[in-house]
Amino acid sequence: MMSSVLQLTLNGRPRADVVPDNMLLVDYLREVCGLTGTKLGCDGGECGACTILVGDHARLSCLTLAHSCAGQVLETVEGQATRGELSAVQRAFHEQLGAQCGFCTPGMIMASEGLLRHNAAPSEDDIREALGGNICRCTGYIKIIESVQAAAQILSTAKGEAA
Ligand code: FES
Ligand code: FES
């Protein structure tokens, strides 16, 4: 198998790793980078547990080749807290009980993050659509939707305070 150097920015830090040319992004994150927050939940493309951000857009890392992200800016759930403080989305999921077993949560958080970066005031339909590819077997989704709404609120309050 051919391997080559992959350079990208992950959670704010530049990296260069020798990576098999056909390695999936989810395997690169978990096995090469040791970031096991990104989950592998299905046979491919059906559960959303592996969702990360590539250049501010949610992407299924189980359907993405690591090398296709060369030169790009990637974020996983591990990169969301700053200086030990939860991101608004993480905080909202925690406070609104948007996580139960937690398996789907990293993917939910990253899909929500991807939504809120492009739509600061999403409707319930927008949220349902953005999280449509993310499956949760525990929460019944209501708490998750409330978490995203709460995150939007936290972000808009923080923006108001900064202005
Ligand atoms: S592991 Fe990627 S969608 Fe299920
Ligand atoms: S919290 Fe258990 S799968 Fe979503």
Side-chain angles (χ1 to χ4, degrees), residues 6-10 23-26 28-29 52-55 59-61 64-74:
L6 170 61
Q7 287 183 291
L8 45 70
T9 301
L10 179 57
M23 186 174 237
L24 289 170
L25 182 56
V26 64
Y28 166 73
L29 293 169
I52 68 155
L53 293 187
V54 179
R59 177 87 68 87
L60 296 177
S61 62
T64 303
L65 286 174
H67 275 284
S68 74
C69 297
Q72 305 217 52
V73 174
L74 276 58

Side-chain angles (χ1 to χ4, degrees), residues 1-156:
M1 168 138 3
M2 297 284 289
S3 291
S4 48
V5 176
L6 170 61
Q7 287 183 291
L8 45 70
T9 301
L10 179 57
N11 294 333
R13 295 214 182 101
R15 291 189 64 107
D17 304 282
V18 176
V19 176
D21 291 344
N22 65 352
M23 186 174 237
L24 289 170
L25 182 56
V26 64
D27 295 328
Y28 166 73
L29 293 169
R30 292 176 57 87
E31 293 167 20
V32 177
C33 307
L35 297 179
T36 54
T38 302
K39 302 299 181 208
L40 189 59
C42 70
D43 277 344
E46 280 165 23
C47 75
C50 65
T51 306
I52 68 155
L53 293 187
V54 179
D56 277 340
H57 291 279
R59 177 87 68 87
L60 296 177
S61 62
C62 76
L63 294 184
T64 303
L65 286 174
H67 275 284
S68 74
C69 297
Q72 305 217 52
V73 174
L74 276 58
E75 288 175 60
T76 67
V77 72
E78 288 90 345
Q80 299 308 295
T82 30
R83 285 177 232 99
E85 202 167 301
L86 296 180
S87 70
V89 176
Q90 289 176 313
R91 203 175 111 199
F93 269 75
H94 176 62
E95 289 173 356
Q96 303 297 320
L97 308 179
Q100 285 186 22
C101 83
F103 191 83
C104 72
T105 310
M108 290 287 183
I109 284 173
M110 298 314 290
S112 304
E113 192 67 43
L115 167 67
L116 292 171
R117 288 193 191 179
H118 301 279
N119 180 354
S123 67
E124 185 176 331
D125 280 351
D126 294 337
I127 297 171
R128 284 188 185 274
E129 191 183 322
L131 302 185
N134 292 69
I135 290 172
C136 176
R137 62 189 171 188
C138 307
T139 64
Y141 300 101
I142 303 292
K143 298 272 180 216
I144 288 176
I145 290 163
E146 289 172 356
S147 300
V148 182
Q149 289 167 332
Q153 199 60 50
I154 294 171
L155 287 165
S156 84

